[in-house]
């Protein structure tokens, strides 16, 4: 009999990374465009000197530092290779074949992938007409087979965000057999005071897990590390399904150093948030539709014109993330990079 791989993987959607074009301005992956500071680079170099040794199996030092940094007890924490890995581990910890995972669509493109890999079914609930989570429809989509609901707040790729009250009402209404996974990859860029802090929300709730990452605001996208805060039994299961030693010695050291340098790193977020408002205002003045964003990117729902917009920007050496037929997601970066994007957007004929 011939060798076969799982037939269902043929229709697994590909995760499409941002394109890298030499000399281009890269606004496609929601990274910060400034390199890591000397203290973080020094910690990485120091860890590299011992790279012949395995890292700590249970991420001991990083667990302790994350607990101190977040105020979340270690029994409620898990470390992973970025929050994508933690989303996958949460699904592996909660779901088996035939069960259901509910999430908004469009939202983060990793959700359908991690769901299908365990043989669970994605239940995609369309965003509202103003590109926000439709929490009532998501509640209505929950069945006896639902095990997890993903909520990205702010949402990727639309940048829209849920307020504290509406999220609390949702969490109160979700049945007990369902874990809500709040993905706060962009929490540090939020400026609206009425948005929830997932870690505070999770304190009193046994049906909420929060995933956070060092990839975005902390500027460590290349090193792959993040953490989850979850009810103790869930956190333990997430740790259990991790690939042993998958968080490298270098990643562990970098994340500790990033928390030590948090003040310096997070000081970069407010200027990005101000640029976000400037970019959006200029786009609105050009006649584009741009939903209000709380993240480090903006969403242009261009529909059928998305591919042409993408081509136009590529011709101007600006790389963005296009979802053909739907819209374009553009990272807010340094003012000169944003200006290059705005100049190109200005000459696009819609
Ligand atoms: C970028 C992003 C992540 C972070 O992924 P990492 O694996 O931590 O780099 C998680 N969730 C969303 C919604 C994102 O946009």
């Amino acid at each position: 009999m011939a060798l076969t791989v799982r037939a269902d993987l043929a229709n697994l959607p590909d995760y499409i990374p941002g394109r890298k074009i030499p000399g281009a301005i890269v606004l496609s992956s929601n990274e910060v465009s400034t390199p890591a500071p000397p203290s973080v680079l020094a910690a990485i170099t120091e860890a590299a000197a011992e790279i012949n040794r395995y890292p700590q199996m249970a991420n001991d030092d990083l667990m302790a530092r994350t607990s101190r940094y977040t105020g979340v007890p270690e029994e409620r924490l898990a470390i992973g290779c970025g929050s994508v890995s933690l989303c996958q581990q949460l699904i592996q910890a909660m779901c088996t074949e035939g069960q259901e995972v509910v999430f908004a669509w469009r939202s983060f493109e990793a959700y359908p992938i991690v769901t299908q890999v365990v043989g669970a079914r994605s239940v995609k609930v369309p965003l509202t007409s103003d590109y926000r989570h439709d929490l009532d429809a998501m509640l209505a989509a929950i069945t006896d087979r639902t095990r997890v609901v993903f909520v990205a707040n702010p949402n990727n790729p639309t940048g829209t965000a849920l307020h504290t009250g509406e999220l609390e009402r949702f969490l109160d209404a979700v049945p007990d057999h369902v874990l809500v996974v709040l993905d706060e990859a962009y929490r540090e860029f939020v400026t609206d005071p009425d948005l929830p802090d997932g870690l505070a929300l999770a304190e009193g709730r046994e049906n909420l897990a929060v995933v956070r990452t060092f990839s975005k605001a902390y500027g460590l996208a290349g090193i792959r590390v993040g953490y989850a805060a979850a009810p103790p039994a869930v956190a333990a299961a997430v740790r259990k399904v991790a690939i042993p030693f998958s968080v490298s010695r270098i990643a562990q050291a970098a994340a500790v150093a990033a928390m030590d340098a948090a003040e310096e790193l997070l000081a970069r977020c407010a200027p990005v948030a101000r640029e976000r408002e400037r970019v959006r205002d200029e786009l609105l003045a050009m006649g584009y539709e741009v939903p209000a964003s709380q993240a480090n990117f903006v969403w242009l729902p261009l529909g059928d014109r998305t591919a042409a917009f993408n081509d136009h920007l590529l011709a101007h050496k600006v790389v963005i993330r296009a979802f053909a037929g739907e819209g374009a997601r553009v990272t807010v970066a340094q003012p000169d990079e944003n200006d290059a994007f705005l100049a190109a957007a200005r000459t696009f004929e819609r």
Side-chain angles (χ1 to χ4, degrees):
M1 214 169 69
L3 181 76
T4 53
V5 296
R6 275 168 50 181
D8 70 290
L9 294 185
N11 53 31
L12 188 71
D14 287 320
Y15 188 109
I16 303 175
R19 290 172 63 171
K20 303 282 181 230
I21 295 177
I25 290 173
V26 179
L27 305 178
S28 51
S29 299
N30 302 340
E31 301 146 338
V32 294
S33 47
T34 25
S39 66
V40 173
L41 293 176
I44 291 170
T45 307
E46 200 180 310
E50 281 189 87
I51 214 66
N52 52 312
R53 302 292 180 192
Y54 278 100
Q56 290 172 339
M57 166 79 181
N59 300 290
D60 309 72
D61 294 347
L62 177 51
M63 280 285 274
R65 185 69 183 93
T66 307
S67 179
R68 200 148 53 80
Y69 185 62
T70 58
V72 177
E74 287 190 37
E75 59 165 5
R76 288 180 166 266
L77 283 177
I79 305 293
C81 299
S83 41
V84 171
S85 174
L86 289 159
C87 289
Q88 173 156 26
Q89 289 167 247
L90 279 158
I91 293 296
Q92 289 173 323
M94 299 299 298
C95 291
T96 54
E97 212 167 328
Q99 294 180 322
E100 292 173 354
V101 178
V102 172
F103 47 87
W105 203 249
R106 187 171 272 281
S107 188
F108 188 35
E109 58 189 318
Y111 302 153
I113 300 173
V114 299
T115 299
Q116 194 183 328
V117 165
V118 300
R121 200 169 77 81
S122 290
V123 178
K124 296 179 177 176
V125 179
L127 295 169
T128 62
S129 56
D130 49 358
Y131 313 103
R132 306 181 78 242
H133 279 79
D134 188 340
L135 293 179
D136 290 336
M138 290 176 77
L139 262 185
I142 291 173
T143 71
D144 292 345
R145 292 178 301 279
T146 308
R147 301 284 289 156
V148 171
V149 177
F150 280 116
V151 177
N153 199 44
N155 189 42
N156 175 5
T158 57
T160 50
L162 294 163
H163 289 113
T164 308
E166 56 187 335
L167 185 60
E168 280 179 334
R169 279 191 296 281
F170 177 76
L171 292 169
D172 289 341
V174 167
D176 289 343
H177 67 281
V178 173
L179 179 74
V180 176
V181 176
L182 187 64
D183 184 342
E184 293 193 321
Y186 302 99
R187 183 65 186 79
E188 295 82 2
F189 298 101
V190 166
T191 50
D192 182 341
D194 191 24
L195 293 197
D197 173 344
L199 296 182
L201 270 186
E203 257 174 48
R205 294 181 187 270
E206 294 309 307
N207 68 343
L208 178 62
V210 177
V211 290
R212 291 199 175 171
T213 180
F214 293 103
S215 293
K216 306 284 162 56
Y218 295 86
L220 297 180
I223 227 157
R224 318 302 309 128
V225 61
Y227 60 90
V234 175
V238 167
R239 295 192 296 263
K240 204 167 210 174
V241 299
I243 295 171
F245 302 113
S246 57
V247 179
S248 75
R249 179 179 279 279
I250 289 176
Q252 291 173 351
V256 168
M259 284 183 275
D260 291 345
E263 208 175 320
E264 173 184 3
L265 294 175
L266 298 184
R268 306 180 303 194
C269 295
V272 169
R274 281 195 296 275
E275 276 293 287
R276 170 184 78 210
E277 301 310 320
R278 180 180 75 92
V279 167
R280 176 167 182 258
D281 287 346
E282 294 209 19
L283 289 168
L284 291 173
M286 290 176 213
Y288 287 95
E289 180 184 5
V290 191
S293 169
Q294 286 288 307
N296 66 337
F297 54 84
V298 290
W299 174 244
L300 289 78
L302 291 160
D304 292 344
R305 296 292 285 151
T306 303
F309 184 73
N310 190 40
D311 290 344
H312 178 80
L313 288 175
L314 281 177
H316 287 78
K317 290 221 160 205
V318 177
V319 185
I320 58 158
R321 180 73 167 87
F323 299 90
E326 292 177 63
R329 190 194 67 200
V330 184
T331 305
V332 175
Q334 296 298 302
D336 58 325
E337 298 170 292
N338 303 332
D339 284 341
F341 159 67
L342 288 168
R346 196 166 281 121
T347 56
F348 177 62
E349 294 198 14
R350 275 163 297 147

